[in-house]
């Protein structure tokens, strides 16, 4: 069951990014002796040392392999004793006990093949009765040298994948006798293994045979000893109405160190119940996140059981079981969606990767689908237009996965996936755009019966033209109340007459055989009876959503027109709500227009605000009817240009009430943050029950430009 009222993606990320002035900061470690990032917290805050040692990391990671020769699931992987943990690139690694730094072998690149006999960058510490070794590091902590005294819990380096290893980062940890021979003991202090939702306490001194009892993939943690759904210490929670970023206390991204410049955390978000425990889980996209040396590769943080923050895992390509390989410009996490594609009661996650190159086809794009379970998200798979059965063919610049939406279009009980491909060329018409519809089944998303639509498809009106961007925005809702969800498609680049980029919106109606272009709904500002007029550059359909706002049983369209001029005020923005599109009920069709400066609407009419760059319908007032939420990411707050704001329009008895609307921005006492220039607050919006989560991907965090934040508004 989805816990958010509507499934939403950040369909607008690419556009605002093009408008923002971003300085690309490429992380390059010039020397392995450079401390690449300051750890967010000390190990002592999370562990109490025993007479043995500490764990070598903070947070929650899986046991990959327990490596006794001839035993365990990874016996052929290494011929040594030890343990592999799924610590992603640049996770801080700490000394498991006090002693002298004995060995320090560097000089390996992040992906350094057989460097240092396959161990890559590694070090060892002499603890007197044993040595500890830390292998496959990306780099060492600044200033450490052979012979130094190292305290228990001191930072010694960062996890990586140097040396002979898989493409996935991990920490190989082992212990030896002073003679550098294997010993049959692992000296970790007490630790917790999470077997599903069951917490199991292990003793402080373990023999190798004990480690063999810890199954492959078991989650262990050391930051409060809590398993999901189990007992343990109280989880770290944000305060009400808090700004949350990757440097927030308690936010332990098992995927990264913390906030960095150009991460764009908060560009996209989605809430669902991935582990089926009845609690809302949150996924947040950081499409600008660098992975290793690969800028803008992208990453998604998944927080299980919001408002907890410390039950946090990170997903990126090439990490653990996540397929693919992190590459510069992939933009993994630029769009997110959720649905139950196999109808097993666990919500599944879809990650859009529009910048992914398929072979030599740059920016062809793909989506990654990963399935919910009692253990959280697992069994990921990549789907792209060269996947057998998927129509269209991967081509340069297609941007497959730029927008996403889910619903049951053919009424078979399985959620289906709509993928926007706004850069798709139709014949010789570049960027005309298209969508793919992939249908759910007992085995999940399948390419069987994949549907491919453009404005040249049978029944679909309009005709494909260069730059139309059909599929730039997508949504799914049962408009005509026939039991089949319908597909709403924004085409913001469509020319209306001679008016380039005026924009329009399509509705493709669902049926037992899937979506159809027959009786295609088509709307623009020159449609009969529509207020206003199509004008050059309006971008009608830049954002779309649908809900039954007036309570007549028929879906209503919410259309964002962020570049609409209001009088002489350029790009101030407008939304229009079409009640009863295509006349499916007895309610008289009508259109309501709203903008800042409208009677009763909070906020001033200003050039460049782009009111309507994001739209969402959700019930946040608790009266059982959907309210309308509007993102204004370029709103100026005082002297802070492009700080951003969000408007909330409640509905009362099916009527949109502009007299009780609210305007939210980061300078309000409601929030702990402050408005910042270019923060772009309102670029993404989701709801969890009556709470609102707002993305500000341009937020400066501790001096890191465009690191990004989300704001958790508890109503």
């Amino acid at each position: 069951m989805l816990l958010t009222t509507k499934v939403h993606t950040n369909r607008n990320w690419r556009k605002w990014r093009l408008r923002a002035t971003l300085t690309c900061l490429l992380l390059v470690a010039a020397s392995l002796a450079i401390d690449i990032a300051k750890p967010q917290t000390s190990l002592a805050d999370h562990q109490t040392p025993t007479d043995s040692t500490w764990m070598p990391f903070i947070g929650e990671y899986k046991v990959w392999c327990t490596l006794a020769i001839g035993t365990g699931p990874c016996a052929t992987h290494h011929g040594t004793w030890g343990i592999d943990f799924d610590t992603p690139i640049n996770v801080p690694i700490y000394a498991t006990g006090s002693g002298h730094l004995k060995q320090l072998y560097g000089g390996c690149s992040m992906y350094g093949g057989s460097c240092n006999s396959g161990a890559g960058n590694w070090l060892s510490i002499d603890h007197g009765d044993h040595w500890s070794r830390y292998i496959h590091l990306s780099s060492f902590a600044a200033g450490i040298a052979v012979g130094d005294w190292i305290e228990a819990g001191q930072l010694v380096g960062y996890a990586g994948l140097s040396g002979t290893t898989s493409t996935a980062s991990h920490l190989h940890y082992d212990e030896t006798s002073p003679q550098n021979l294997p010993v049959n003991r692992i000296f970790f202090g007490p630790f917790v293994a999470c077997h599903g939702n069951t917490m199991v306490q292990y003793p402080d001194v373990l023999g190798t045979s004990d480690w063999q009892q810890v199954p492959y993939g078991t989650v262990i943690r050391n930051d409060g000893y809590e398993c999901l759904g189990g007992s343990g210490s109280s989880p770290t929670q944000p305060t009400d109405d808090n700004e949350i970023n990757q440097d927030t206390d308690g936010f332990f991204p098992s995927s990264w160190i913390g906030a960095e410049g150009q991460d764009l955390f908060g560009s996209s978000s989605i809430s669902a119940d991935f582990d089926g425990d009845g609690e809302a889980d949150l996924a947040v996209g950081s499409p600008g996140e660098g992975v290793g040396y690969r800028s803008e590769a992208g990453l998604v943080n998944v927080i299980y059981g919001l408002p907890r923050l410390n039950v946090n895992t990170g997903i990126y390509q090439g990490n653990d079981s996540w397929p693919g390989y992190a590459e510069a410009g992939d933009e993994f996490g630029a769009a997110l969606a959720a649905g139950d594609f196999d109808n097993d009661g666990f919500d599944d996650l879809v990650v859009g990767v529009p910048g992914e190159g398929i072979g030599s086809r740059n920016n062809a794009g793909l989506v990654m689908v990963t399935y919910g379970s009692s253990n959280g998200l697992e069994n990921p798979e990549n789907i792209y237009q060269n996947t057998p059965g998927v129509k269209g063919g991967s081509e340069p610049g297609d941007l497959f996965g730029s927008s996403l939406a889910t619903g049951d279009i053919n009424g078979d009980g399985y959620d289906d996936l709509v993928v926007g491909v706004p850069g798709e060329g139709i014949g010789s018409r570049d960027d005309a755009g298209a969508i793919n519809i992939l249908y759910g089944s007992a085995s999940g998303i399948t390419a069987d019966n994949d549907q491919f639509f453009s404005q040249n498809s049978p029944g679909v009106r309009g005709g494909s033209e260069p730059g139309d961007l059909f599929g730039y925005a997508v949504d799914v809702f049962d408009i005509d109340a026939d039991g089949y969800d319908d597909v709403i498609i924004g085409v913001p680049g469509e020319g209306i007459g001679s008016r380039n980029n005026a924009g329009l919106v399509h509705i493709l109606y669902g049926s037992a055989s899937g979506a159809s272009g027959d009786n295609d709904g088509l709307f623009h500002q020159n449609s009969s009876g529509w207020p206003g007029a199509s004008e050059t550059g309006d971008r009608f359909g830049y954002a779309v959503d649908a809900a039954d706002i007036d309570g007549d049983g028929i879906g209503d369209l919410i259309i964002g027109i962020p570049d609409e001029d209001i009088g002489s005020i350029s790009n101030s923005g407008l939304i229009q709500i079409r009640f009863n599109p295509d006349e499916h009920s007895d309610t008289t069709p009508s259109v309501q227009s709203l903008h800042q400066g409208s009677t009763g609407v909070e906020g001033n009419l200003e050039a460049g605000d782009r009111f309507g760059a994001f739209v969402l319908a959700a019930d946040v007032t608790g009266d059982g009817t959907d309210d309308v939420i509007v993102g204004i990411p370029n709103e100026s707050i005082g002297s802070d240009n492009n700080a951003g704001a969000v408007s909330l329009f409640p509905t009362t008895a099916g009527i949109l009430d502009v007299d009780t609307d609210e305007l939210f921005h980061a300078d309000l006492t409601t929030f702990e943050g402050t408005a910042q220039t270019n923060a772009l607050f309102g670029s993404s919006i989701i709801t969890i029950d009556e709470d609102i989560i707002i993305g500000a991907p341009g937020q400066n965090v501790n001096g890191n430009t465009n690191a990004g934040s989300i704001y958790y508004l508890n109503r």
Side-chain angles (χ1 to χ4, degrees), residues 134-278:
Y134 313 78
I135 295 172
H136 303 310
L137 302 178
S138 66
S139 63
F140 304 127
I144 62 172
V146 171
D148 288 352
W149 179 259
I150 304 295
E151 295 289 345
Q154 181 177 332
L155 178 73
V156 294
Y158 299 89
L161 46 75
S162 61
T164 302
T165 184
S166 69
T167 57
S169 171
H170 65 283
L171 172 69
H172 175 95
Y173 177 87
D174 60 33
E175 296 180 354
T176 66
S177 73
Q179 293 76 38
N180 202 30
L181 297 172
V183 296
N184 194 33
R185 290 164 69 89
I186 300 294
F187 287 87
F188 285 147
F191 77 97
V192 166
C194 300
H195 299 270
N197 290 336
T198 303
M199 183 175 66
V200 179
Q201 182 82 45
Y202 283 81
D204 63 344
V205 179
L206 299 172
T208 302
S209 61
D210 294 317
W211 272 106
Q212 293 302 319
Q213 299 172 17
V214 182
Y216 176 91
T218 293
V219 175
I220 68 170
R221 59 184 304 113
N222 67 339
D223 57 352
Y225 301 158
E226 182 179 359
C227 301
L228 297 178
S231 59
S233 65
S234 299
T236 302
Q237 299 188 17
T239 60
D240 289 349
D241 313 323
N242 196 22
E243 177 193 353
I244 302 169
N245 57 59
Q246 292 183 88
D247 276 354
T248 297
D249 184 36
F251 188 96
F252 305 133
S254 60
S255 55
W256 215 248
I257 296 169
E260 299 167 308
Q262 316 307 321
D263 282 350
L264 304 176
F265 176 83
S267 294
S268 60
S269 57
I270 194 70
S271 177
D273 185 6
F274 302 125
D275 55 4
D277 64 355

Side-chain angles (χ1 to χ4, degrees), residues 32 89-90 107-115 120-121 136-138 160-169 256 290-295 297 316-318 325-328:
L32 289 167
I89 295 172
N90 292 339
C108 304
S109 69
M110 183 72 79
Y111 312 97
S114 61
C115 183
N121 307 309
H136 303 310
L137 302 178
S138 66
L161 46 75
S162 61
T164 302
T165 184
S166 69
T167 57
S169 171
W256 215 248
V291 177
Y293 305 115
R294 292 155 173 80
S295 61
Y316 61 87
Q317 292 179 294
Y325 193 71
E327 299 165 314

Side-chain angles (χ1 to χ4, degrees), residues 634-648:
N634 299 93
E635 175 86 21
S636 295
I637 305 298
S639 60
D640 294 306
N641 296 329
N642 303 315
V646 169
S647 282
L648 167 64

Side-chain angles (χ1 to χ4, degrees), residues 28 81 96 159 162 189 215 267 292 436 624 655 673 685 712:
V28 177
W81 302 85
T96 58
S162 61
S267 294
N436 283 87
I655 299 173
I685 308 168
Y712 185 86

